[in-house]
Amino acid sequence: VQLQASGGGLVQAGGSLTLSCEVSGLSFANYVMGWFRQAPGKERERVAGINWSGSSTNYADFVKGRFTISRDNAKNTLYLQMNNLEPEDTAIYYCAGALVVGETDYWGKGTLVTVSS
């Protein structure tokens, strides 16, 4: 099983980035998926989640209205559109998947997002 996150980089505050997570080795459409992040010196925190079909999403309060999670089951790919980025969004972003809501079965390796002020 592989979850390969990409799309991170350096962006100025107020800018946008789109992260992708390509998944292989499992039946992607059977997994709920999510994005997490870990900033330097901080605990990993959940950013957003999406159900199997993409019909239901949820977000941490600190990204509501700025980030959008989506998925393309035909391409086995998860996305995170990030708008109006803030320096506080600087972190390594990880994608993760699980068969059951509330659990995490697989983690990706992460992609670094750096937001400059």
Side-chain angles (χ1 to χ4, degrees):
V1 176
Q2 274 197 317
L3 284 71
Q4 184 64 53
S6 61
L10 175 63
V11 64
Q12 288 188 329
S16 299
L17 281 174
T18 299
L19 305 183
S20 299
C21 175
E22 295 186 28
V23 179
S24 60
L26 53 77
S27 297
F28 181 68
N30 290 342
Y31 282 74
V32 294
M33 299 295 298
W35 287 98
F36 295 74
R37 71 185 188 185
Q38 187 166 18
K42 294 189 177 181
E43 297 285 321
R44 186 177 296 189
E45 58 187 359
R46 187 172 177 279
V47 174
I50 189 166
N51 70 344
W52 303 270
S53 67
S55 62
S56 177
T57 59
N58 55 80
Y59 299 91
D61 286 343
F62 53 79
V63 302
K64 278 183 181 177
R66 300 189 298 124
F67 291 10
T68 302
I69 188 171
S70 62
R71 66 191 295 161
D72 186 336
N73 287 346
K75 295 182 178 179
N76 288 359
T77 303
L78 176 74
Y79 302 98
L80 185 68
Q81 173 68 44
M82 305 186 294
N83 297 325
N84 195 21
L85 283 160
E86 304 168 352
E88 293 75 20
D89 295 318
T90 294
I92 299 174
Y93 284 71
Y94 301 88
C95 54
L99 285 171
V100 177
V101 173
E103 297 182 358
T104 305
D105 298 329
Y106 299 104
W107 289 96
K109 287 190 176 179
T111 185
L112 176 62
V113 172
T114 303
V115 184
S116 63
S117 56

